[in-house]
Amino acid sequence: MTPREYRYVGPVEILARARPGRLGQAVGSQGELAAWLAGQTAQDPGEPFTYVVDLDGTLRLAPQRSEHVACAGREPVLGAGEITFAASGGAWTVSEISNQSTGYCPDPSSWTAVAAALDRAGLERPPEFTHPIVFRRCRQCRQRNIVKDDHYVCAVCGGALPAAWNMDEPHAR
């Protein structure tokens, strides 16, 4: 099964600030991760970082306050969210990971592509997202929603939210 590609669905003003071709740091090994983390002096390595998995299946990282679309160079992704690392036995492991990206709004099923990227980089990881988020777009008012406790109701207009991921549906009502 081919992984789903997620295009940016967030605010246009954030997209406008992201530069095409300027990407987050590619991480393909423990050594690359350790070197990148050592250079992150503005952020504690134990805090979450922004990540995307690009269309080539590469894990890319940026500081936490970076926008996912900037980390992806404005390109579609296979996964996006926040990731936290912990030092363990002389190596870095993934201690927490989510699909929390309100710009790409990836489905929890994006875990397959995210896990594959982490495995290729040799990073020990949890068996699934530690904090999965379900995103849906309201078909009535077009607002992005986070579904909590399986309550598929729009927080803005009260409309029913679809059961299937629909964040890339056209914006027309």
Side-chain angles (χ1 to χ4, degrees), residues 1-6 51-53 57 59 77-85 93-100 105-120 123-133 135 165:
M1 188 167 121
T2 305
R4 177 192 303 254
E5 293 182 13
Y6 297 92
Y51 81 86
V52 299
V53 175
L59 176 68
V77 300
L78 300 178
E82 292 189 345
I83 189 168
T84 305
F85 300 101
T93 64
V94 177
S95 58
E96 294 185 38
I97 188 166
S98 74
N99 60 320
Q100 182 177 332
C105 303
D107 192 66
S109 64
S110 66
W111 174 251
T112 304
V114 173
L118 295 170
D119 291 347
R120 275 191 298 282
L123 302 175
E124 187 177 319
R125 60 171 175 79
E128 58 190 13
F129 285 123
T130 54
H131 304 288
I133 297 173
F135 295 99
W165 188 87

Side-chain angles (χ1 to χ4, degrees), residues 13-76:
E13 57 274 9
I14 292 175
L15 176 64
R17 289 193 301 258
R19 294 197 172 108
R22 191 167 181 194
L23 303 166
Q25 177 64 46
V27 173
S29 69
Q30 276 282 337
E32 289 176 1
L33 176 61
W36 185 78
L37 288 173
Q40 299 306 301
T41 57
Q43 182 177 331
D44 183 309
E47 293 179 0
F49 290 92
T50 294
Y51 81 86
V52 299
V53 175
D54 68 21
L55 295 183
D56 292 329
T58 301
L59 176 68
R60 294 191 172 276
L61 299 175
Q64 182 183 29
R65 286 163 187 78
S66 301
E67 294 293 341
H68 291 94
V69 71
C71 186
R74 297 180 67 144
E75 294 296 320

Side-chain angles (χ1 to χ4, degrees), residues 133-167 169:
I133 297 173
V134 175
F135 295 99
R136 295 294 186 269
R137 184 176 299 281
C138 178
R139 289 186 171 138
Q140 291 179 33
C141 72
R142 308 304 307 149
Q143 292 297 313
R144 292 173 293 154
N145 282 262
I146 293 176
V147 175
K148 297 179 182 174
D149 301 323
D150 290 325
H151 188 65
Y152 286 77
V153 175
C154 179
V156 177
C157 75
L161 297 174
W165 188 87
N166 71 329
M167 295 304 298
E169 285 181 352

